[in-house]
Amino acid sequence: MLILGIETSCDETSVAVVEDGLCIRSNLVSTQEKLHLKFGGVVPEIACRAHLESLLPILDEALKGAGVTLKDLDAIAVTNTPGLIGALLIGVTAAKALAWALRLPLIAINHLHAHIFASKLEYGHAPEFPCLSLVVSGGHTSLFLSNKETQHQLLGATLDDAAGEAFDKVAKLLGLGYPGGPAIDNIAREGSPAAILFPRSYLEPGSLDFSFSGLKTAVLYHYQELVGARRAVPLTPVPLTRKELADLAASFQEAVVDVLVEKTLLALRKHPVKGVALGGGVASNSRLRQKLARALEERHIQPYFPSPKLCTDNAAIVAGLAYYKYLERDMASLEVEAVA
Ligand code: KG4
Ligand code: ZN
């Protein structure tokens, strides 16, 4: 069974063809990083125009790469929530048009559930359910108790900034460019994670929610002290030494990672399952993977960490998950809406 997946929820236009939910025949991703670079973050209007321009050429390439034509497809899947509304609308409209023209079933996919599915695509047989799923991306930081591929119970989520957003904002402050996550991950390797003790926000005892806005402010204040200019908003990045930048990045990253690991362990105490699946762009972070893997190993919990290219936004996770929704006959109508 061949499913075409479309993903346009944020700043990556992606089309994939996946066979029987597990075999990736093609997975094309066109990133808009260059377009958003000078703004230091995703500009929604630019993102949706770029999706409009690149979606059809990528669709052609994905079909060619998979060695199939539109006639070979069995279903069309698309991310319809959550994401930037204008960006989602491009993918959803294209998917509806294809499904209608080809008389194929349409399957609507929740982007966070697709991120969780990355583990299944990576490992084939895994994860063993029930498991915990931690989705850490630019827009979300959410912990789920996953009962099967299509069923995820939300245990906790961020009350303010997502982890990836905090990475991006701190990188912007430090003049490290966009997207900030990989830039901080890289320079942090040269720094000391213990150089600066940034606050870890655990919220009230037992809470599985997250908060990263205070940490972001703490980094801002520390930076302002370092450059000797305490202003409400930094107007221009003042150059720090490479060592200062590396220490700041490593200490900030450590604070984010500590909270993510601690909350996952707390969730495991409340829901003693055998495995933890990681997904979303921040799941590529080397320090998070290292510390979480160590903590899980000590507790004999199986880590399911997909490779970085499946962690960041891509359509293979959309088409893969759609197969399981298809088996459950969970199709969408042509009236299905994009939901921000
Ligand atoms: O899942 P994703 O591709 O898009 C969303 O659904 O948001 O995640 C993008 C986020 C960005 O904030 C980016 O900075 C972050 O993932 N990211 C990382 C790393 N690679 C990507 N954050 C920390 N360390 C990384 N290595
Ligand atoms: Zn994502």
Side-chain angles (χ1 to χ4, degrees), residues 35-339:
L35 297 177
H36 302 289
L37 187 63
K38 65 172 179 255
F39 302 99
V42 179
V43 182
E45 180 64 11
I46 294 177
C48 81
R49 280 169 194 272
H51 286 309
L52 193 54
E53 280 169 18
S54 42
L55 187 54
L56 294 184
I58 287 185
L59 170 67
D60 281 340
E61 263 188 76
L63 291 170
K64 267 194 215 120
V68 300
T69 68
L70 286 173
K71 288 199 190 79
D72 299 314
L73 300 174
D74 295 295
I76 308 290
V78 64
T79 303
N80 78 314
T81 192
L84 302 170
I85 188 65
L88 288 167
L89 271 170
I90 306 297
V92 168
T93 309
K96 283 182 184 180
L98 284 169
W100 181 77
L102 300 167
R103 303 280 183 270
L104 289 179
L106 176 67
I107 300 162
I109 296 292
N110 178 306
H111 183 69
L112 301 185
H113 298 177
H115 271 310
I116 297 171
F117 191 81
S119 292
K120 185 95 183 173
L121 268 184
E122 179 78 40
Y123 296 93
H125 59 285
E128 193 186 322
F129 293 110
C131 73
L132 275 186
S133 303
L134 175 64
V135 180
V136 262
S137 71
H140 297 270
T141 307
S142 308
L143 258 172
F144 294 91
L145 179 62
S146 301
N147 292 311
K148 54 180 177 167
E149 287 82 0
T150 54
Q151 204 183 80
H152 309 280
Q153 180 197 339
L154 185 66
L155 302 176
T158 183
L159 303 179
D160 40 58
D161 293 344
E165 194 182 343
F167 269 96
D168 292 337
K169 297 268 164 67
V170 166
K172 185 178 179 183
L173 171 75
L174 301 180
L176 294 174
Y178 173 84
I184 290 193
D185 196 349
N186 279 334
I187 196 166
R189 291 172 216 266
E190 300 166 32
S192 160
I196 308 144
L197 186 63
F198 283 125
R200 274 90 169 135
S201 170
Y202 292 107
L203 303 170
E204 71 271 18
S207 168
L208 291 175
D209 288 328
F210 301 85
S211 167
F212 293 107
S213 62
L215 170 61
K216 208 176 62 183
T217 310
V219 175
L220 172 65
Y221 286 164
H222 186 87
Y223 170 83
Q224 287 174 334
E225 258 169 39
L226 269 184
V227 299
R230 209 170 239 292
R231 302 185 288 250
V233 178
L235 301 175
T236 44
V238 183
L240 301 182
T241 65
R242 179 100 189 156
K243 174 80 178 113
E244 281 172 331
L245 274 178
D247 281 348
L248 241 167
S251 303
F252 157 75
Q253 178 175 269
E254 197 72 0
V256 176
V257 167
D258 281 353
V259 172
L260 293 173
V261 172
E262 278 309 313
K263 293 277 175 176
T264 306
L265 296 180
L266 175 61
L268 277 171
R269 287 197 289 279
K270 291 184 176 204
H271 305 275
V273 293
K274 289 190 197 140
V276 173
L278 205 51
V282 185
S284 337
N285 183 268
S286 59
R287 187 68 175 155
L288 173 62
R289 293 169 87 97
Q290 184 189 39
K291 285 193 98 171
L292 188 56
R294 199 183 305 146
L296 296 180
E297 213 172 278
E298 282 166 7
R299 290 160 181 82
H300 308 291
I301 307 285
Q302 183 67 42
Y304 300 110
F305 297 173
S307 52
K309 70 175 190 303
L310 288 177
C311 289
T312 44
D313 288 350
N314 69 90
I317 54 178
V318 175
L321 173 57
Y323 175 72
Y324 290 85
K325 291 194 84 165
Y326 183 89
L327 294 181
E328 293 173 0
R329 315 305 297 166
D330 186 3
M331 312 321 171
S333 84
L334 286 177
E335 267 95 66
V336 72
E337 292 191 0
V339 180

